[in-house]
Amino acid sequence: MAMKILFGVFFLCLGSWSYAQEGGEAPMEKTELDALYSAIQGFVGNWWNGSDLYPDPCGWTPIQGVSCDIFDGLWYVTALNLGPTHENSLACAPNAEFRQQLFELKRLKTLSFFNCFVSNRRSSVSLPTGEWPKLAGSLESLEFRSNNGLTGNIPASLGNLTKLQSLVLLQNGLVGEIPENFGNLIKLKRLVLAGNSLTGPIAQSLGMLSELLILDLSRNLLTGPLPTSLGNLTSLLKLDLSDNKLGGNLPSEIGDMRNLTLLDLSNNSFSGGLGQSFENMNSLEEIILSNNPIGGELKSINWKSIRNLVILDLSDMGLTGEIPDSLSELKKLRFLGLDRNNLTGNPSPKLATLPFVSTIYLFGNNLYGDLKFPERFYGKMRRRFGAWDNPNLCYPIGTVAANNAPYGVNPCKQEEEEEEEVKLMKLKPNSKASLEEANLVASDGNSRFEIEGFWWELMGRTLTLTLTLTMVLVINGLL
């Protein structure tokens, strides 16, 4: 009996669903359907007639970029993606605009715009300010990518979207400061605000985002020091603050982010040397600190404690001192950039024992002495071993074939050449006197031969004259 009832209910529902499809009726609330079509028309243009093209936008005739789910037996829009992400995607019109109907999609979880607002329009577009709290109960992901015509400040009302797990505002034309109330977005796992023109400091409140995995604020105009509150982001995997105007010392709290795998602080104005707090970050795989006047010495860190490093870029940082042997303990290292610093000493050939290394840049330093790396290392690395522009660095002649010699490095001079240079250097302090002395030595060396030749010539001439006079006297009968 129970089975008959279940089969009856099933066929009744199936019949009702088929009737709705055959009658052209979408199983969606009219207010939801109207809001969807009006919102799309705001971005695509009024020419778009969704009711004719997609009578069932969540069923048999779905709209590209629109996803739905069923709640209480009815379809609701859960995702809306605008822009040319796919071949059949909805492309935005030149006069695209936000309509309030967008914020009436009460089950919307994902909203994204790609290359939808471009700068060649008659007027730029700003993000709405007061409507976002209407989506606070559902929205989990909000993305604006590559919209250079999207300008203005980031509205503080985005801080009310407390269910957000991903907020991406990438490569737009946004300006102003990061809203302080972004600290309310405690469920965020990804915050990307890169590629805008944001100014001001990094908000201290971002340290409250304890579930954050990715923080990317790169390629902006941010200023000020790193907030110490960032040390609270113990779940963080990737931190990219490169290409800003940040400065000051690196706080020791940075070492509390022990799960961090990527740290990119390049192209800023940080200073104060490298702290030992880096030794606590043993999950790091990439450290990129290049183009900062950080200064200090490499030996201030026991590098083998960061044993998972794959990329280490410390170029153009004003580093001094010698290259420590502990770098050769980084057995996973593939890239080592120490170029354009003030490093001294002789580079250790232990660096050649790194099993996976493919690039080592040491150029533009004050390294000196003979390079003692094996020839096969030079042959394998070629120009990816960069040691040029170290005036007192050379490679020994006879140990390396000419075609495998390290690029841009001069061969070491032979002992005879060095001795000759020493002699010349000894002459240099009083070059005039030395020149006279050299001339005098040369003159003394030839004087015996010149004098002896003179006397022989004189005696020959005297004998010739005597014989001539004698013959004259004989002829004249005087003898």
Side-chain angles (χ1 to χ4, degrees):
M1 184 65 181
M3 290 297 294
K4 291 181 180 180
I5 294 175
L6 287 174
F7 276 113
V9 171
F10 172 76
F11 284 111
L12 179 62
C13 292
L14 182 61
S16 300
W17 181 81
S18 299
Y19 174 79
Q21 298 303 312
E22 293 172 359
E25 298 178 5
M28 177 183 286
E29 283 186 339
K30 187 176 185 305
T31 54
E32 182 81 1
L33 188 63
D34 291 344
L36 173 63
Y37 288 164
S38 179
I40 292 177
Q41 287 174 342
F43 301 114
V44 175
N46 290 326
W47 62 266
W48 187 85
N49 190 341
S51 60
D52 291 340
L53 298 173
Y54 307 100
D56 185 15
C58 295
W60 292 105
T61 56
I63 302 173
Q64 183 68 38
V66 176
S67 298
C68 306
D69 206 347
I70 294 177
F71 298 90
D72 300 326
L74 296 173
W75 288 113
Y76 288 92
V77 178
T78 56
L80 181 58
N81 303 286
L82 278 299
T85 54
H86 303 287
E87 185 177 350
N88 297 324
S89 297
L90 297 171
C92 293
N95 58 344
E97 63 178 359
F98 293 92
R99 293 185 179 179
Q100 64 176 7
Q101 285 82 0
L102 172 67
F103 303 96
E104 295 174 5
L105 301 174
K106 52 191 175 183
R107 302 280 187 174
L108 193 63
K109 293 183 178 181
T110 300
L111 179 60
S112 70
F113 299 86
F114 171 72
N115 199 25
C116 193
F117 308 98
V118 295
S119 59
N120 59 0
R121 300 210 171 102
R122 292 187 300 272
S123 60
S124 59
V125 178
S126 299
L127 287 170
T129 56
E131 304 289 341
W132 294 105
K134 295 179 181 179
L135 300 177
S138 62
L139 199 61
E140 297 176 357
S141 176
L142 177 61
E143 298 188 3
F144 289 86
R145 296 175 181 264
S146 301
N147 298 280
N148 56 13
L150 187 65
T151 61
N153 294 344
I154 300 175
S157 56
L158 292 182
N160 295 320
L161 300 174
T162 54
K163 288 194 174 183
L164 272 185
Q165 297 181 28
S166 176
L167 176 58
V168 177
L169 307 177
L170 175 65
Q171 290 180 322
N172 301 294
L174 301 173
V175 298
E177 298 188 2
I178 300 173
E180 187 70 29
N181 67 346
F182 272 17
N184 298 333
L185 306 176
I186 57 175
K187 292 188 177 181
L188 266 186
K189 290 179 170 54
R190 178 171 59 171
L191 177 59
V192 178
L193 307 178
N196 290 283
S197 298
L198 302 178
T199 55
I202 298 175
Q204 283 276 359
S205 61
L206 297 186
M208 300 171 61
L209 307 179
S210 58
E211 296 185 16
L212 203 61
L213 302 177
I214 298 173
L215 177 58
D216 186 353
L217 308 179
S218 63
R219 291 172 289 138
N220 280 292
L221 303 171
L222 300 173
T223 55
L226 285 186
T228 57
S229 61
L230 293 183
N232 298 328
L233 304 179
T234 54
S235 298
L236 201 64
L237 300 177
K238 296 184 178 182
L239 175 61
D240 189 349
L241 305 178
S242 62
D243 295 285
N244 278 287
K245 297 183 177 182
L246 301 168
N249 294 353
L250 299 178
S252 60
E253 288 82 1
I254 199 172
D256 295 334
M257 296 185 284
R258 302 184 181 223
N259 290 311
L260 204 64
T261 61
L262 166 68
L263 176 64
D264 191 347
L265 305 178
S266 60
N267 299 308
N268 281 287
S269 298
F270 293 113
S271 57
L274 298 170
Q276 292 183 336
S277 56
F278 279 92
E279 298 176 9
N280 301 327
M281 307 166 74
N282 50 29
S283 295
L284 273 173
E285 298 176 5
E286 300 181 44
I287 297 179
I288 306 173
L289 305 179
S290 55
N291 298 311
N292 280 287
I294 290 178
E297 296 192 8
L298 284 170
K299 67 180 182 180
S300 62
I301 295 177
N302 183 14
W303 292 99
K304 66 180 181 180
S305 63
I306 319 177
R307 57 185 177 274
N308 291 311
L309 270 182
V310 176
I311 295 175
L312 179 60
D313 189 354
L314 306 179
S315 58
D316 196 12
M317 289 176 49
L319 297 173
T320 59
E322 299 185 356
I323 300 173
D325 285 344
S326 59
L327 287 176
S328 63
E329 301 291 329
L330 302 175
K331 300 303 181 183
K332 296 182 180 180
L333 198 65
R334 294 182 181 272
F335 178 93
L336 176 61
L338 300 177
D339 50 283
R340 292 168 293 149
N341 283 293
N342 298 310
L343 299 172
T344 57
N346 185 258
S348 171
K350 291 181 180 179
L351 293 175
T353 65
L354 293 169
F356 300 110
V357 72
S358 61
T359 303
I360 296 179
Y361 287 149
L362 307 178
F363 61 86
N365 282 286
N366 296 312
L367 303 174
Y368 56 80
D370 298 3
L371 283 173
K372 299 180 177 63
F373 293 79
E375 181 178 1
R376 64 179 181 276
F377 174 76
Y378 300 133
K380 179 185 77 170
M381 300 289 284
R382 300 294 179 181
R383 294 194 184 188
R384 287 178 287 110
F385 175 70
W388 58 86
D389 198 15
N390 285 281
N392 298 314
L393 193 64
C394 63
Y395 69 92
I397 297 177
T399 62
V400 179
N403 60 339
N404 283 332
Y407 177 79
V409 179
N410 294 322
C412 297
K413 296 175 181 177
Q414 299 290 346
E415 291 184 4
E416 293 82 359
E417 294 178 353
E418 293 177 355
E419 290 176 359
E420 189 65 26
E421 286 190 0
V422 170
K423 290 180 180 179
L424 292 174
M425 290 298 292
K426 288 181 178 179
L427 293 174
K428 283 184 178 179
N430 191 352
S431 58
K432 184 176 180 181
S434 299
L435 182 59
E436 292 175 354
E437 182 181 353
N439 290 334
L440 180 60
V441 170
S443 175
D444 288 345
N446 294 325
S447 60
R448 297 192 306 272
F449 303 103
E450 292 175 357
I451 294 171
E452 186 176 353
F454 169 76
W455 283 111
W456 278 110
E457 183 179 355
L458 180 61
M459 290 174 66
R461 290 181 179 181
T462 303
L463 181 60
T464 301
L465 180 62
T466 302
L467 290 174
T468 302
L469 290 173
T470 302
M471 290 177 67
V472 170
L473 291 173
V474 169
I475 292 170
N476 293 323
L478 296 177
L479 289 176

